[in-house]
């Protein structure tokens, strides 16, 4: 099993910044993709940012130019730098990782979520 521990959420005013962190630990084989999702009240969970081991990244259109995903592979850690935050960014943010346990087999793990609240 792999455990994910997120931190860095909180309350911030619109226009402010937050940095989320997620550390993976436990019986890790080989982490490939590390992602951030979010879920606002009454809405479906959505992908915010994704990062592969090779360094490729992609972002939801709503956060492009404001959010940056980065990772420290040696420490199995992924970050999400969030700038120019808007009230619409208010949500619970979840870390998600894909652990490659075989050539074409992976396990997906989720963190417990961290609340981000942006006040207007």
């Amino acid at each position: 099993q792999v455990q994910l521990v997120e931190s860095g959420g909180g309350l911030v005013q619109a226009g402010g910044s937050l940095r989320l962190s997620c550390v993976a630990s436990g019986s890790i084989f080989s982490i490939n993709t590390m992602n951030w999702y979010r879920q606002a009240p009454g809405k479906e969970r959505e992908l915010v940012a994704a990062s592969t081991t090779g360094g490729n990244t992609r972002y939801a259109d709503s956060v492009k130019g404001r959010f940056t995903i980065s990772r420290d592979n040696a420490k199995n850690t992924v970050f999400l730098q969030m700038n120019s935050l808007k009230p619409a960014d208010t949500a619970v943010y979840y870390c998600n990782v894909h652990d490659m346990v075989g050539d074409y087999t992976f396990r997906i793990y989720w963190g417990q979520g961290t609340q981000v609240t942006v006040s207007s």
Side-chain angles (χ1 to χ4, degrees):
Q1 287 292 319
V2 173
Q3 294 79 42
L4 303 178
V5 178
E6 300 138 336
S7 61
L11 173 64
V12 65
Q13 289 188 333
S17 298
L18 284 174
R19 189 184 193 220
L20 305 183
S21 301
C22 173
V23 181
S25 63
S27 302
I28 296 171
F29 282 81
S30 178
I31 291 178
N32 187 347
T33 306
M34 303 185 83
N35 310 309
W36 286 98
Y37 284 75
R38 69 184 180 188
Q39 187 167 19
K43 295 188 177 181
E44 293 186 354
R45 191 172 297 188
E46 63 171 350
L47 178 66
V48 175
S51 172
T52 67
T53 304
N56 294 319
T57 59
R58 62 187 178 100
Y59 299 91
D61 288 342
S62 59
V63 307
K64 284 181 181 176
R66 300 188 298 121
F67 290 11
T68 302
I69 188 170
S70 61
R71 55 195 286 174
D72 183 337
N73 291 324
K75 297 182 178 179
N76 292 318
T77 301
V78 62
F79 306 96
L80 185 67
Q81 179 66 44
M82 305 184 294
N83 299 328
S84 302
L85 282 161
K86 305 174 181 180
D89 296 316
T90 296
V92 178
Y93 284 71
Y94 297 91
C95 177
N96 163 280
V97 302
H98 294 190
D99 187 25
M100 300 300 294
V101 299
D103 288 343
Y104 303 102
T105 306
F106 57 89
R107 294 174 183 160
I108 300 175
Y109 297 95
W110 291 90
Q112 80 286 357
T114 184
Q115 176 70 47
V116 171
T117 302
V118 184
S119 63
S120 57

